[in-house]
Amino acid sequence: MRHNFGAGPCILPQEVFRQASQAVLDFKDGLSILEISHRTPEFEAVVTEAVKLVKELLNVPEGYSVLFLQGGASLQFAMVPMNLLSEGQTASYLDTGVWANKAIKEVKYFGNAHIVASSKDANYTFIPKDYSIPEDSAYFHCTSNNTIYGTEMFSLPETNVPIVCDMSSDIMSRVIDVSKYDLIYAGAQKNIGPAGTTVVIVKDEILGKTTNKIPSMLDYTQHIGGGSMYNTPPVFSIYVAMLNLRWLKSKGGVAEIEKENIAKARTLYTEIDRNPLFKGTCAVEDRSRMNVCFVMEDKELEKEFLKLAEENGIEGIKGHRSVGGFRASIYNALSITSVHRLVELMQIFAEKHQK
Amino acid sequence: MRHNFGAGPCILPQEVFRQASQAVLDFKDGLSILEISHRTPEFEAVVTEAVKLVKELLNVPEGYSVLFLQGGASLQFAMVPMNLLSEGQTASYLDTGVWANKAIKEVKYFGNAHIVASSKDANYTFIPKDYSIPEDSAYFHCTSNNTIYGTEMFSLPETNVPIVCDMSSDIMSRVIDVSKYDLIYAGAQKNIGPAGTTVVIVKDEILGKTTNKIPSMLDYTQHIGGGSMYNTPPVFSIYVAMLNLRWLKSKGGVAEIEKENIAKARTLYTEIDRNPLFKGTCAVEDRSRMNVCFVMEDKELEKEFLKLAEENGIEGIKGHRSVGGFRASIYNALSITSVHRLVELMQIFAEKHQK
């Protein structure tokens, strides 16, 4: 059995793979999902259901639009300031890692970025908490989960400034109160679906206020008007996202999966804290439930453990180069069985090396 | 048997569907193509091969880069002027239909558009030919095939101005001389692969000259630097495009498929011209080999023929609302058997109604 702990694109449920594979052969009357027009009633129903599932699973309030776009979170880094900022205005950003930085970098084309706080000096091993957001910020931007460093924001700052959040790597993993956010975006390729589409949840009333000239494809209002079909959408990616969201609903929704995610994370962090060979890299209160980062004192032993893990079907746990060690990504579709297998190997490894 | 004459997303080879379906279940060691990291050597090899196949099949000269991006041709409508135009400069556009118009509309955010010629007054039933391109144009933009109206450009104007071409619906269908173009773009979902990726072929030396401030994701040079992986690419769409380009190569490449496309188009247009019930909608010399548009005098008969066609497995031949009648899209993967079936039905229908 393979245990895919990869950081993303990442594991999705096996039944989603089976359904997607079948639809590539025959989606409707012998036609493949890859050859049907996006304007067929059958595909329009897919988009409608995918949007409905996002709204239902996250309990999205009235007054918000849900979009399936292209370009990943990276394109959102530019679309957010393009749509929400005007020349001379400032947006506030919380710097919690590489992806937050990439978002900050794109602001300069449209206005100014003010960094309210940063944990850069500590290699982003914690989420800054005591900071103030200037009242005149056009918006406040944060990254809810930092895949590279394994930190996650479990609370939002109190502010009257509109909140924009890059939720790429923990959306659909835990219950959130969407009404606290003005815009949420997420590349699909963690808990939503495969790579190739991006979900945007936007409060309608914040749009249409910028003085920026926005090209059509970069204008949220155009996509809202087109019902995510302003142009040909990424048909297959949206279809598989719909299948995956259906699966999540059938599992009991976000509240249920959150319980499983808490159990998986607790199991793994407990072993990291218990096992004398391993240690966690992040502040305990900021530890991500999606990406568990840990290291060993001895780099040679790290190589040996990685080899042992790979020989036992554990995929994708090599840490990002900026942290080193290991990163076990334990997204929604990863079963606790896989976590138990990893923990078991950590225990076997420790026993062997403590003799 | 189904005959998919849809305009796009459209038919792809059955063997591509079979391979893609299998890879959704097992791409590598039991892992799905939907769950592997884009940074695995196996997927990097896919991107490398896809780029190599584009270069090989179109005989792309040295000094050009090939990119697989997201956002469709619609995002290119903005990226082209953003990257190639500077404030105060003018680009020349040939207006051959709705898509050309959408491209023209995006120029205003970055500079000025000059329309060299238009066939709008004739409902775009021909490609304008006698026009001059101002020498000081930053570039000249044209649409090589107009899916809605069924016209195709078989020759380029003589000019020293850089040529940019939206080749979404006829790329890979006929031999072209890439060296005559400075930038070619194409949404994949006709002859390249499924929806969700966009191919850009760009002459490197035309880049980096604009004074525009270009956000990273909209900057061709960033994507060239990242080898089409500046951010997470649309993994599955690129994979299927690679499979489809492999199929095209195995068929003998673009020169061979062009012969088939000529034969298919000739077969269908011959019947349209012969059959007293049907008539073509476009100037004969500009008739597209990809999208064959034709109408009947009697709208009631059109409904009846559409019904007959659908009952016989002919999919997607209803014409676009702006032309009416029928549009038979006969892309690379559509076999001449399907064209023969359509022609046969046209003959049966004519016989019935001429008694």
Side-chain angles (χ1 to χ4, degrees):
Chain A
M1 189 183 168
R2 304 299 287 268
H3 308 277
N4 184 359
F5 286 87
C10 68
I11 191 168
L12 293 172
Q14 288 296 321
E15 68 180 84
V16 169
F17 294 146
R18 282 192 294 272
Q19 291 165 346
S21 172
Q22 179 54 32
V24 170
L25 296 177
D26 181 1
F27 170 69
K28 172 219 159 195
D29 300 341
L31 294 181
S32 167
I33 184 74
L34 304 182
E35 66 176 318
I36 56 147
S37 166
H38 58 294
R39 297 290 179 197
T40 51
E42 290 80 5
F43 184 70
E44 288 185 348
V46 168
V47 174
T48 302
E49 184 173 347
V51 168
K52 191 164 165 278
L53 283 165
V54 171
K55 288 185 174 177
E56 197 176 329
L57 288 164
L58 293 179
N59 197 19
V60 176
E62 288 292 306
Y64 285 76
S65 295
V66 172
L67 299 170
F68 282 84
L69 304 180
Q70 294 186 66
S74 295
L75 187 56
Q76 295 308 307
F77 297 162
M79 279 179 72
V80 163
M82 197 181 289
N83 282 267
L84 302 185
L85 208 56
S86 294
E87 208 182 322
Q89 285 188 328
T90 296
S92 289
Y93 279 69
L94 181 62
D95 175 21
T96 55
V98 161
W99 296 102
N101 262 283
K102 290 194 182 201
I104 291 164
K105 195 184 145 210
E106 301 302 315
V107 179
K108 65 171 181 275
Y109 304 109
F110 313 101
N112 308 309
H114 166 66
I115 298 172
V116 295
S118 171
S119 49
K120 187 176 182 181
D121 291 346
N123 199 31
Y124 299 116
T125 48
F126 70 95
I127 303 281
K129 283 167 205 83
D130 293 319
Y131 51 85
S132 65
I133 300 166
E135 287 283 329
D136 62 349
S137 303
Y139 59 85
F140 166 72
H141 179 284
C142 56
T143 314
S144 58
N145 185 72
N146 301 281
T147 44
I148 292 177
Y149 313 95
T151 60
E152 192 168 3
M153 278 179 82
F154 294 105
S155 65
L156 281 177
E158 292 293 326
T159 177
N160 293 319
V161 168
I163 295 181
V164 175
C165 185
D166 175 359
M167 223 175 263
S168 294
S169 52
D170 67 351
I171 193 168
M172 299 290 170
S173 75
R174 58 185 171 107
V175 174
I176 53 164
D177 181 353
V178 174
S179 73
K180 290 191 174 166
Y181 301 85
D182 293 74
L183 194 151
I184 292 167
Y185 62 87
Q189 62 271 13
K190 317 285 184 189
N191 287 323
I192 294 173
T197 188
T198 314
V199 169
V200 174
I201 304 169
V202 58
K203 197 173 192 174
D204 299 326
E205 68 179 39
I206 66 162
L207 299 177
K209 295 175 181 170
T210 179
T211 56
N212 284 327
K213 297 181 292 180
I214 312 175
S216 306
M217 273 294 287
L218 304 169
D219 186 345
Y220 294 122
T221 59
Q222 293 278 358
H223 290 289
I224 292 170
S228 292
M229 299 225 264
Y230 171 77
N231 70 331
T232 308
V235 172
F236 185 74
S237 294
I238 296 176
Y239 176 68
V240 182
M242 187 275 285
L243 293 176
N244 186 54
L245 295 172
R246 265 189 197 165
W247 169 85
L248 179 54
K249 186 179 169 185
S250 76
K251 291 268 293 180
V254 175
E256 285 305 311
I257 208 85
E258 181 173 13
K259 287 182 203 162
E260 288 188 26
N261 288 331
I262 289 172
K264 286 186 293 182
R266 187 188 297 134
T267 302
L268 190 46
Y269 284 119
T270 300
E271 177 60 21
I272 289 166
D273 291 340
R274 187 206 64 78
N275 193 310
L277 290 187
F278 298 92
K279 64 173 182 185
T281 55
C282 299
V284 171
E285 72 273 19
D286 301 326
R287 281 174 165 181
S288 169
R289 291 180 195 152
M290 294 288 104
N291 313 97
V292 178
C293 293
F294 53 107
V295 295
M296 297 172 88
E297 294 290 350
D298 183 341
K299 297 296 152 195
E300 282 306 309
L301 276 189
E302 281 187 347
K303 279 185 203 160
E304 198 182 322
F305 181 69
L306 191 63
K307 188 159 168 281
L308 176 74
E310 285 171 352
E311 284 166 1
N312 284 277
I314 306 280
E315 285 278 334
I317 61 159
K318 195 171 193 302
H320 189 276
R321 64 181 180 282
S322 48
V323 176
F326 308 100
R327 171 173 56 175
S329 297
I330 52 177
Y331 296 116
N332 285 357
L334 188 98
S335 76
I336 196 152
T337 311
S338 294
V339 175
H340 285 146
R341 184 67 185 132
L342 175 59
V343 165
E344 188 186 18
L345 291 170
M346 291 165 77
Q347 291 170 346
I348 290 169
F349 195 74
E351 272 171 40
K352 181 184 163 195
H353 285 279
Q354 285 182 289
K355 274 175 193 166
Chain B
M1 188 185 167
R2 306 298 287 269
H3 308 279
N4 185 359
F5 286 87
C10 67
I11 191 169
L12 293 171
Q14 288 296 321
E15 67 179 84
V16 168
F17 294 146
R18 283 192 293 273
Q19 292 165 347
S21 173
Q22 179 54 32
V24 170
L25 296 177
D26 182 1
F27 170 68
K28 172 219 157 194
D29 300 341
L31 294 180
S32 167
I33 184 76
L34 305 182
E35 67 176 317
I36 58 148
S37 165
H38 59 295
R39 297 290 179 197
T40 50
E42 290 79 6
F43 184 70
E44 289 187 346
V46 167
V47 175
T48 303
E49 183 174 347
V51 168
K52 190 164 165 276
L53 282 165
V54 171
K55 288 187 174 177
E56 197 176 328
L57 288 164
L58 293 179
N59 198 18
V60 176
E62 287 293 307
Y64 285 76
S65 294
V66 171
L67 298 171
F68 281 83
L69 304 179
Q70 292 187 67
S74 295
L75 188 56
Q76 295 307 308
F77 296 163
M79 279 178 72
V80 163
M82 196 181 288
N83 282 269
L84 301 186
L85 208 57
S86 294
E87 209 182 323
Q89 284 188 327
T90 297
S92 289
Y93 278 69
L94 180 62
D95 175 20
T96 54
V98 161
W99 296 102
N101 262 282
K102 290 194 180 198
I104 290 164
K105 195 184 146 211
E106 302 302 315
V107 179
K108 64 172 181 277
Y109 303 109
F110 312 100
N112 308 308
H114 166 67
I115 298 172
V116 294
S118 172
S119 49
K120 188 176 183 181
D121 291 345
N123 198 30
Y124 298 117
T125 47
F126 69 96
I127 303 282
K129 284 169 205 80
D130 293 319
Y131 52 85
S132 64
I133 300 165
E135 287 282 328
D136 63 348
S137 302
Y139 58 85
F140 166 73
H141 179 283
C142 57
T143 314
S144 57
N145 185 72
N146 301 282
T147 45
I148 293 177
Y149 314 93
T151 60
E152 193 168 3
M153 278 179 82
F154 294 106
S155 65
L156 282 177
E158 293 292 326
T159 177
N160 293 320
V161 168
I163 295 181
V164 175
C165 184
D166 176 358
M167 223 175 263
S168 293
S169 52
D170 67 350
I171 194 168
M172 299 290 169
S173 75
R174 58 185 170 105
V175 175
I176 53 163
D177 180 352
V178 173
S179 72
K180 289 190 174 166
Y181 301 85
D182 293 74
L183 194 152
I184 293 167
Y185 62 88
Q189 62 270 14
K190 316 286 184 190
N191 286 322
I192 294 172
T197 188
T198 313
V199 169
V200 174
I201 304 168
V202 58
K203 196 173 192 171
D204 299 325
E205 67 178 40
I206 66 163
L207 299 176
K209 295 176 182 171
T210 179
T211 57
N212 285 326
K213 296 181 292 181
I214 313 174
S216 307
M217 272 294 286
L218 303 169
D219 186 344
Y220 293 122
T221 59
Q222 293 277 359
H223 290 289
I224 292 170
S228 293
M229 298 226 265
Y230 171 77
N231 70 331
T232 309
V235 172
F236 185 74
S237 294
I238 295 176
Y239 176 69
V240 182
M242 187 276 285
L243 293 176
N244 186 52
L245 295 173
R246 265 190 197 164
W247 168 85
L248 180 54
K249 185 179 169 185
S250 76
K251 292 267 293 179
V254 176
E256 285 305 310
I257 209 85
E258 181 173 14
K259 287 181 202 163
E260 288 188 24
N261 288 332
I262 290 172
K264 287 186 293 183
R266 187 188 296 134
T267 302
L268 190 46
Y269 283 120
T270 300
E271 178 60 20
I272 290 166
D273 292 339
R274 188 207 63 78
N275 193 311
L277 291 187
F278 299 92
K279 62 172 183 185
T281 55
C282 300
V284 171
E285 72 273 20
D286 300 327
R287 282 174 164 181
S288 168
R289 290 178 195 153
M290 294 288 104
N291 312 96
V292 178
C293 293
F294 53 106
V295 294
M296 297 172 87
E297 293 291 350
D298 182 341
K299 297 295 152 194
E300 282 307 310
L301 276 189
E302 281 187 348
K303 279 185 203 161
E304 197 183 324
F305 181 69
L306 191 63
K307 188 159 168 285
L308 176 74
E310 285 172 351
E311 284 166 1
N312 283 276
I314 306 281
E315 285 278 332
I317 61 158
K318 195 172 193 302
H320 190 275
R321 64 182 180 282
S322 49
V323 175
F326 308 100
R327 170 174 54 175
S329 297
I330 52 178
Y331 296 117
N332 284 357
L334 188 98
S335 75
I336 196 153
T337 311
S338 295
V339 176
H340 284 147
R341 184 68 184 131
L342 176 59
V343 165
E344 188 186 18
L345 291 169
M346 291 165 76
Q347 290 170 347
I348 290 168
F349 195 74
E351 271 169 39
K352 181 183 163 195
H353 285 278
Q354 284 183 289
K355 276 175 190 164

